[in-house]
Amino acid sequence: MTERETPSVDGLVIGILGGTGDQGRGLARRFALAGHPVIIGSRSHERAHAAALEIGHDVRGLANRDAAVEASVVIAAVPWEGHGDLLSGLATELAGKIVVDCVNPLGFDQRGAYALPVAEGSAAEQAAALLPGSRVVAAFHHVSAVLLLDPEVDTIDLDVLVLGDDRQATDLVQALAARIPGVRGIYAGRLRNCGQIEALTANLVSINRRYKAHAGLRITDI
Ligand SMILES: NC(=O)c1ccc[n+]([C@@H]2O[C@H](COP(=O)([O-])OP(=O)(O)OC[C@H]3O[C@@H](n4cnc5c(N)ncnc54)[C@H](OP(=O)(O)O)[C@@H]3O)[C@@H](O)[C@H]2O)c1
């Protein structure tokens, strides 16, 4: 395989839909620390503004729609239950952009976490179906929001698996993942193979509960 040049992600404006949650605020914090302009999106401008103020580092808070318009790369970090409706309502705003999906369709009961069936195969494939004008990439499914948010944690020991059908877009998201100290972005296949990546999060939740950890994955021999 020929070595490909790592694309520059310097100065890339990152928007996060549902950025007021743990995962969104965690990613916002890490990308802002890496020097990126970051916009937190929310259904409520006030909640977005409050979350942005709390994070600091010049993070801005806007309504989801405005975050989608202003950012060049948009991360969807909403619960599975709201994923389809939110994205279908923003198809126009997200056209032409890279949309990074980190959504894990999981259920929880007294026995723990389990993967929910998804008609399209995965949340990321649902996003691709709803956003025909966007370049959908799947990533950040296994990174712990607790670690992202912890000011005592400088380095996160983790590979981020990046999936997608557009090679330039997956290259860029791999480079973006690597902006978080300790993290490597590893290409892990096309979107049709994203279902098991999302479902694997249920296993990580079980590991975390048993070992009281924030477990991540490392891919060997790369
Ligand atoms: N937490 C983690 O460690 C982690 C790790 C990897 C991946 N993920 C994935 O990242 C996503 C977000 O996780 P989270 O823990 O941050 O979730 P969360 O706190 O439950 O939700 C994130 C934000 O989504 C918005 N939201 C909630 N319900 C919505 C709906 N029906 N429609 C539109 N927006 C809605 C809310 O923001 P507003 O009310 O301000 O709009 C909320 O603050 C999930 O899909 C999860 O599977 C999480």
Side-chain angles (χ1 to χ4, degrees), residues 17-27 40-45 47-48 51 64 76-83 85-86 101-106 108 123 139-148 201:
L17 307 176
T20 53
D22 285 351
Q23 179 72 347
R25 283 182 297 111
L27 290 171
I40 282 192
S42 165
R43 290 169 295 181
S44 142
H45 183 187
R47 275 201 297 279
N64 281 324
V78 291
W80 168 237
E81 296 71 38
H83 180 260
D85 282 349
L86 178 74
D101 204 291
C102 69
V103 170
N104 295 308
L106 297 181
F108 292 85
F140 303 110
H141 303 88
H142 305 140
V143 61
S144 153
V146 175
L147 297 181
L148 290 171
T201 307

Side-chain angles (χ1 to χ4, degrees), residues 3 12 18 22 33 40 48 50 52 68 79-80 90 101 103 105 129 163 173 177 185 187 197 207 220:
E3 279 293 319
L12 214 60
D22 285 351
L33 282 172
I40 282 192
W80 168 237
L90 294 176
D101 204 291
V103 170
L163 295 89
V173 175
Y187 173 74
I197 298 295
I207 292 168
T220 60

Side-chain angles (χ1 to χ4, degrees), residues 38-219:
V38 176
I39 304 168
I40 282 192
S42 165
R43 290 169 295 181
S44 142
H45 183 187
E46 290 73 28
R47 275 201 297 279
H49 184 63
L53 270 185
E54 185 200 315
I55 296 169
H57 305 290
D58 295 328
V59 173
R60 291 191 296 145
L62 297 175
N64 281 324
R65 185 173 304 281
D66 297 326
V69 168
E70 290 206 22
S72 21
V73 172
V74 179
I75 301 174
V78 291
W80 168 237
E81 296 71 38
H83 180 260
D85 282 349
L86 178 74
L87 293 186
S88 60
L90 294 176
T92 305
E93 291 78 359
L94 293 171
K97 306 203 173 185
I98 292 178
V99 175
V100 184
D101 204 291
C102 69
V103 170
N104 295 308
L106 297 181
F108 292 85
D109 64 16
Q110 67 283 2
R111 292 191 290 161
Y114 60 97
L116 297 172
V118 177
E120 296 83 352
S122 62
E125 287 167 284
Q126 184 189 75
L130 293 172
L131 304 173
S134 303
R135 300 151 84 195
V136 174
V137 174
F140 303 110
H141 303 88
H142 305 140
V143 61
S144 153
V146 175
L147 297 181
L148 290 171
L149 284 166
D150 189 340
E152 305 290 313
V153 173
D154 294 329
T155 297
I156 300 185
D157 182 19
L158 170 91
D159 285 338
V160 164
L161 303 184
V162 178
L163 295 89
D165 297 338
D166 178 318
R167 182 70 192 261
Q168 283 181 336
T170 55
D171 283 354
L172 184 135
V173 175
Q174 282 177 250
L176 204 54
R179 300 304 296 257
I180 303 172
V183 171
R184 291 189 309 176
I186 303 282
Y187 173 74
R190 290 178 178 265
L191 284 189
R192 67 179 181 178
N193 284 317
C194 199
Q196 54 268 34
I197 298 295
E198 296 170 8
L200 184 61
T201 307
N203 303 82
L204 283 172
V205 170
S206 304
I207 292 168
N208 289 339
R209 287 190 176 177
R210 173 68 63 91
Y211 296 98
K212 307 218 178 317
H214 301 293
L217 298 177
R218 277 293 189 203
I219 305 302

